[in-house]
């Protein structure tokens, strides 16, 4: 294999994405629009396969998960309850010189000499600007570098390029994030910027008609929780999942499709009993005993076991579509990184070529998915905000509570009451209200009622597509028509997600009997999988085209298929495997079963 690293590899991947129709820049004919991407003929198949496979794994193959498809625009109160209108913001800074905007937490630290100025004046006109500005340059660089940048800044306000700088002083700094690494110019102080896209519902653009494009699919699941639970006839623990578009007005979209402004999410909200309910029913709450998959779900699992279960399920999912375990990182967020409602969050990272490297030089990885234990925060928030109950009645809990030891009842109730009180105080309730409400909630628990807690595995379709593309890209050598070795680019997609599963080729286009047979095979396979038929060009070229498209199998109809070289090979074809380029002879009638086994 030919090795390419980092940016160089990314450039080759981006170029292949365009060449093969995986990803195009949105609105390209108008110069593109930053943070928006289109998927071409191959990309759309890849994405569809990812979503179908996720949907099958997360809902159709399980008894305890139901699906939902909600609208993108929802009642604006949803985003108040979830906290998005107030807290879904990133700190941003602007370059004072170029006006370019950056996320404050993504500024590269710089060390060097800072040149500070009080302003500038024009000797000719007497025009004077009294405004502070700073520039950082490397310690051993000539001060003129800094002065040039400063003059450019003051020239923006005066249109005079020959200004004299005023009050120059210097200071040496280490790891400062106050400067634009592209030009050394000073950045503004960080300000919070809400990432939700705003729009208006109806013809009047007034405050009452403001609505938002959803920044995540999760909130619709919480808002529809009661409806789904009822119609799906599910009892906690159970989940609701959804795939759909989400929109975030990212300050700095970057790394190809990795951080986009429009993207798709695949989210599961898995509702579980609070630990106090589990303890009342089972007498104990099982806790993780070490790393690894904890096995089939058990009634005595508390939130930590469920959290570990979903982290491991999701890691297995990624492996099952071809991302090697070694390319994934399980990152446990530190307490100070956790969202205010989260008890624990594991980010599943993929080692993208553009990922930063750690101290050992290893790729650190970038987030593919977050698996968060979100307590009962979300449903409680919607309960408070909408005034509609989000509690469930748990018959088993009610029956178990009646049989509980008299000493245990107050202890469990007190624990639950304290957890509810803490939540209510955090959301701004007065101490008195919180005490009263939490006491009512504890009485509810004793009668079998509670607001379910939730574990949320939340993944991005586009990020996964990009990870699969990066993982699939490979270069090796293969013989050309004359047997001379030449470079081969191939996409080693796992057959489960490969855009096309099989390509069918007649050896020669001008032999009707070969073409007829190849079309028959195409039509035999087409109801079962995505088939690409190709009869143009030399067979070697056709193989190369499919290698680049990531098609895992190629079927060639030749003269043996027609029985021209003996009856024993009649109705057999050559089946070529993309990665090894190995070819075997297979009976046509065996093809469907053989291929289905590999792609399912
Ligand atoms: N409901 C929880 C939630 O939305 P998140 O970590 O903000 O959590 C979940 O997003 C996933 O959505 C991420 O792990 C990522 O895969 C995807 N995602 C988030 N922002 C994205 C963006 N700007 N572009 C592409 N994918 C994004």
């Amino acid at each position: 294999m030919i090795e390419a690293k980092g940016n160089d590899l990314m450039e080759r991947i981006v170029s292949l994405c365009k060449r093969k129709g995986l990803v195009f820049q949105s609105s390209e004919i108008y110069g593109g629009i930053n943070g928006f991407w289109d998927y071409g003929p191959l990309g759309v198949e890849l994405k569809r396969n990812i979503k179908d496979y996720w949907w099958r794994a997360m809902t159709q193959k399980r008894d305890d998960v139901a699906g939902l498809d909600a609208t993108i625009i929802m009642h604006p109160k949803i985003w108040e309850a979830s906290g998005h209108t107030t807290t879904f913001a990133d700190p941003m800074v602007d370059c004072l010189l170029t006006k370019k905007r950056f996320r404050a937490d993504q500024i590269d630290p710089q060390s060097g000499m800072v040149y500070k100025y009080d302003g500038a004046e024009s000797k000719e006109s007497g025009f004077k600007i009294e405004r502070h500005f700073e520039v950082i340059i490397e310690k051993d660089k000539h001060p003129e570098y800094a002065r040039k940048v400063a003059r450019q800044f003051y020239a923006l306000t005066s249109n005079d390029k020959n200004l004299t700088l005023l009050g120059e002083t210097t200071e040496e700094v280490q790891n400062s994030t106050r400067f634009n690494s592209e030009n050394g110019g000073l950045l503004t102080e960080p300000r919070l910027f809400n990432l939700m896209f705003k729009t208006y519902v109806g013809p009047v653009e007034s405050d009452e008609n403001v609505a938002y494009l959803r920044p995540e699919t999760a909130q619709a699941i919480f808002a529809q929780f009661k409806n789904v639970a009822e119609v799906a006839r599910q009892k906690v623990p159970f989940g609701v999942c959804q795939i759909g578009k989400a929109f975030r007005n990212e300050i700095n979209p970057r790394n190809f499709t990795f951080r986009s402004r429009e993207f798709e999410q695949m989210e599961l909200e898995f509702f579980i009993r609070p630990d106090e309910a589990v303890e009342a029913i089972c007498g104990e709450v099982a806790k993780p005993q070490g790393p690894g998959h904890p096995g089939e779900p058990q009634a005595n699992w508390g939130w930590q076991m469920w959290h570990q279960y979903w982290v491991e399920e999701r890691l297995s999912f990624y492996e099952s579509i071809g991302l090697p375990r070694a390319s994934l990182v399980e990152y446990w967020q530190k307490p100070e990184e956790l969202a205010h409602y989260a008890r624990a969050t594991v980010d599943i990272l993929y080692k993208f070529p553009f990922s930063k490297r750690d101290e050992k030089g290893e790729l650190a990885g970038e987030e593919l998915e977050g698996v968060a234990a979100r307590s009962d925060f979300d449903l409680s928030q919607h309960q408070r905000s909408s005034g509609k109950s989000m509690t469930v009645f748990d018959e088993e809990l009610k029956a178990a509570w009646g049989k509980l030891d008299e000493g245990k009842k107050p202890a469990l109730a007190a624990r639950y009451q304290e957890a509810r009180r803490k939540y209510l105080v955090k959301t701004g309730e007065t101490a008195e209200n919180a005490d009263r409400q939490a006491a009512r909630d504890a009485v509810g628990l004793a009668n079998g009622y509670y607001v379910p807690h939730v574990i949320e595995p939340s993944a991005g379709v586009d990020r996964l597509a990009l990870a699969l593309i990066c993982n699939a890209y490979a270069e090796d050598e293969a013989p050309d028509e004359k047997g001379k070795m030449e470079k081969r680019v191939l996409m080693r997609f796992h057959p489960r997600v490969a855009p096309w599963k099989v390509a069918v080729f007649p050896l020669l286009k001008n032999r009707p009997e070969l073409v007829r047979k190849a079309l028959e095979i195409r039509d035999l396979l087409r109801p079962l999988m995505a088939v690409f038929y190709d009869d143009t060009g030399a067979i070697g070229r056709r193989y190369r085209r499919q290698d680049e498209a990531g098609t895992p199998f190629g079927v060639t109809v030749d003269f043996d298929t027609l029985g021209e070289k003996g009856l024993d090979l009649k109705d057999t074809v050559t089946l070529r495997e993309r990665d090894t380029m190995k070819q075997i002879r297979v009976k046509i009638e065996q093809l469907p079963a053989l291929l289905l086994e590999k792609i399912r």
Side-chain angles (χ1 to χ4, degrees):
M1 289 281 162
I2 297 163
E3 288 270 316
K5 288 225 164 109
N7 288 344
D8 178 30
L9 176 59
M10 223 32 232
E11 268 170 34
R12 293 186 208 186
I13 290 171
V14 172
S15 144
L16 176 120
C17 280
K18 171 148 196 214
R19 193 169 73 243
K20 293 305 288 184
L22 278 157
V23 182
F24 302 130
Q25 200 180 12
S26 165
S27 324
E28 195 188 284
I29 56 168
Y30 292 99
I33 169 165
N34 198 7
F36 297 87
W37 300 94
D38 293 339
Y39 289 81
L42 271 189
V44 69
E45 295 290 342
L46 174 68
K47 257 181 104 175
R48 196 172 285 273
N49 292 342
I50 291 171
K51 289 187 279 184
D52 285 352
Y53 192 67
W54 185 91
W55 192 259
R56 262 209 312 283
M58 299 297 269
T59 173
Q60 291 173 342
K61 283 189 169 176
R62 302 184 65 104
D63 289 327
D64 55 1
V65 178
L68 178 72
D69 186 9
T71 56
I72 284 168
I73 293 179
M74 295 185 281
H75 199 292
K77 281 226 155 33
I78 289 200
W79 308 113
E80 280 173 31
S82 67
H84 281 83
T85 41
T86 45
T87 60
F88 192 59
D90 279 338
M92 60 162 195
V93 286
D94 294 317
C95 173
L96 288 169
L97 191 62
T98 59
K99 307 288 176 235
K100 210 166 154 185
R101 191 156 277 184
F102 302 95
R103 253 176 70 170
D105 54 349
Q106 288 172 353
I107 299 293
D108 288 330
Q110 291 183 83
S111 302
M113 195 58 81
V114 175
Y115 285 76
K116 304 178 181 182
Y117 302 94
D118 296 333
E121 68 181 354
S122 163
K123 288 266 154 60
E124 275 171 31
S125 66
F127 178 78
K128 192 169 176 184
I129 312 155
E130 289 178 359
R131 198 172 159 200
H132 185 78
F133 188 65
E134 299 178 20
V135 185
I136 191 169
I137 58 170
E138 283 164 25
K139 225 175 116 189
D140 50 1
K141 267 202 166 166
H142 196 281
E144 199 44 43
Y145 282 98
R147 289 172 193 149
K148 197 172 155 204
V149 176
R151 270 190 222 103
Q152 278 172 8
F153 167 72
Y154 289 114
L156 288 175
T157 8
S158 69
N159 269 337
D160 186 341
K161 292 207 176 88
N162 298 314
L163 293 167
T164 305
L165 298 167
L166 301 173
E168 181 182 280
T169 54
T170 59
E171 184 193 358
E172 195 178 331
V173 297
Q174 297 295 328
N175 297 322
S176 172
T177 51
R178 295 175 56 237
F179 301 93
N180 181 355
S181 59
E182 290 165 8
N183 56 27
L186 189 64
L187 299 162
T188 59
E189 288 299 314
R191 281 171 295 150
L192 283 178
F193 171 76
N194 194 295
L195 300 185
M196 283 198 293
F197 278 100
K198 227 184 214 179
T199 184
Y200 298 92
V201 172
V204 184
E205 292 193 4
S206 62
D207 284 351
E208 311 86 82
N209 293 335
V210 165
Y212 302 94
L213 304 192
R214 67 182 176 201
E216 61 172 23
T217 59
Q219 292 306 319
I221 298 179
F222 298 126
Q224 290 289 8
F225 166 71
K226 288 293 259 220
N227 275 337
V228 179
E230 214 166 279
V231 298
R233 303 182 63 76
Q234 291 280 5
K235 286 205 170 75
V236 175
F238 79 96
V240 182
C241 67
Q242 174 166 221
I243 298 179
K245 289 268 187 183
F247 302 81
R248 296 183 188 178
N249 199 359
E250 297 284 357
I251 296 169
N252 214 358
R254 60 188 186 143
N255 287 331
F256 198 24
T257 58
F258 181 82
R259 190 175 299 288
S260 310
R261 289 180 164 140
E262 176 176 340
F263 55 96
E264 274 184 285
Q265 288 187 315
M266 307 182 283
E267 298 202 291
L268 167 68
E269 304 303 326
F270 196 82
F271 300 100
I272 56 173
R273 288 173 167 143
D275 278 8
E276 292 79 12
V278 175
E279 195 170 330
I281 295 167
C282 301
E284 47 138 32
V285 178
K287 300 246 163 78
Q289 298 301 307
H293 199 297
E296 283 301 298
Q298 303 295 324
N300 65 356
W301 279 10
W303 72 266
Q304 286 166 299
M305 287 298 275
W306 276 111
H307 187 228
Q308 181 167 354
Y309 169 83
W310 277 112
V311 170
E312 293 297 329
E313 283 286 295
R314 299 301 304 140
L315 285 166
S316 311
F317 172 87
Y318 289 119
E319 285 185 84
S320 75
I321 49 174
L323 295 183
R325 188 63 185 80
S327 69
L328 301 168
V329 179
E330 184 183 324
Y331 175 77
W332 284 77
Q333 286 190 10
K334 300 190 187 92
E336 65 273 19
E337 293 171 322
L338 288 175
H340 57 284
Y341 48 76
R343 287 176 148 182
T345 299
V346 170
D347 289 336
I348 298 177
L349 317 181
Y350 173 75
K351 295 178 183 174
F352 286 97
F354 50 77
S355 301
K356 292 217 167 87
R357 289 184 183 269
D358 61 19
E359 0 11 290
K360 291 190 212 130
E362 297 276 323
L363 287 173
E366 303 283 338
E367 182 185 327
L368 265 191
E369 165 159 1
V371 186
R374 298 172 67 117
S375 69
D376 54 3
F377 175 83
D378 303 278
L379 288 180
S380 299
Q381 282 295 92
H382 288 299
Q383 177 168 281
R384 269 162 42 85
S385 172
S386 68
K388 304 273 170 12
S389 167
M390 290 289 166
T391 57
V392 293
F393 174 62
D394 189 328
E395 266 173 39
E396 264 187 89
L397 171 62
K398 170 114 171 109
W401 197 278
K403 292 182 204 150
L404 270 185
D405 202 279
E406 282 311 314
K408 184 121 188 180
K409 283 182 190 173
L412 275 182
R415 237 165 57 205
Y416 188 69
Q417 182 169 335
E418 179 53 14
R420 294 295 297 166
R421 193 192 65 79
K422 273 195 183 147
Y423 153 73
L424 289 159
V425 169
K426 221 188 224 177
T427 56
E429 286 292 345
T430 60
E432 202 184 325
N433 275 351
D435 282 343
R436 211 176 22 242
Q437 179 58 52
R440 274 206 296 269
D441 292 343
V443 173
L445 187 79
N447 286 299
Y449 291 93
Y450 53 78
V451 174
H453 286 229
V454 74
I455 307 290
E456 178 194 70
S458 169
V461 181
D462 309 75
R463 283 198 189 167
L464 178 51
L466 185 59
L468 291 168
I469 289 170
C470 292
N471 185 64
Y473 184 90
E475 295 173 9
D476 64 5
E477 291 194 326
D480 69 7
E481 255 86 87
K482 293 178 188 136
K484 196 172 139 243
M485 295 307 268
E486 61 174 11
K487 180 175 136 184
R488 175 176 84 131
V489 172
L490 72 157
M491 295 298 278
R492 290 180 300 179
F493 287 124
H494 190 288
R496 286 188 176 128
V497 290
W500 298 319
K501 309 301 180 191
V502 61
V504 178
F505 316 110
L507 187 63
L508 296 171
K509 188 184 180 178
N510 55 5
R511 295 293 293 264
E513 54 291 25
L514 289 176
V515 170
R516 201 175 316 114
K517 200 73 188 168
L519 288 173
E520 262 174 38
I521 294 172
R522 179 198 69 182
D523 295 342
L524 171 77
L525 297 174
R526 206 164 244 183
L528 306 170
M529 63 194 76
V531 184
F532 191 82
Y533 176 81
D534 189 4
D535 59 12
T536 47
I539 191 73
R541 294 229 161 278
R542 283 184 265 166
Y543 284 154
R544 291 297 170 276
R545 283 204 288 266
Q546 292 308 314
D547 291 342
E548 271 204 329
T551 311
F553 304 104
V555 166
T556 308
V557 173
D558 54 21
F559 294 105
D560 289 348
T561 315
L562 305 177
E564 288 192 6
K565 292 194 190 150
L567 284 182
D568 50 336
L569 289 181
K570 188 168 185 312
D571 286 332
T572 65
V573 286
T574 302
L575 181 67
R576 174 184 182 269
E577 205 269 331
R578 174 199 61 206
D579 299 352
T580 58
M581 294 183 274
K582 276 203 184 117
Q583 304 191 2
I584 54 170
R585 207 75 205 169
V586 176
K587 285 193 177 142
I588 294 172
E589 65 189 29
Q590 289 172 344
L591 270 178
L594 200 149
L595 291 173
L596 279 178
E597 193 197 306
K598 293 185 192 284
I599 65 171
R600 287 238 162 114

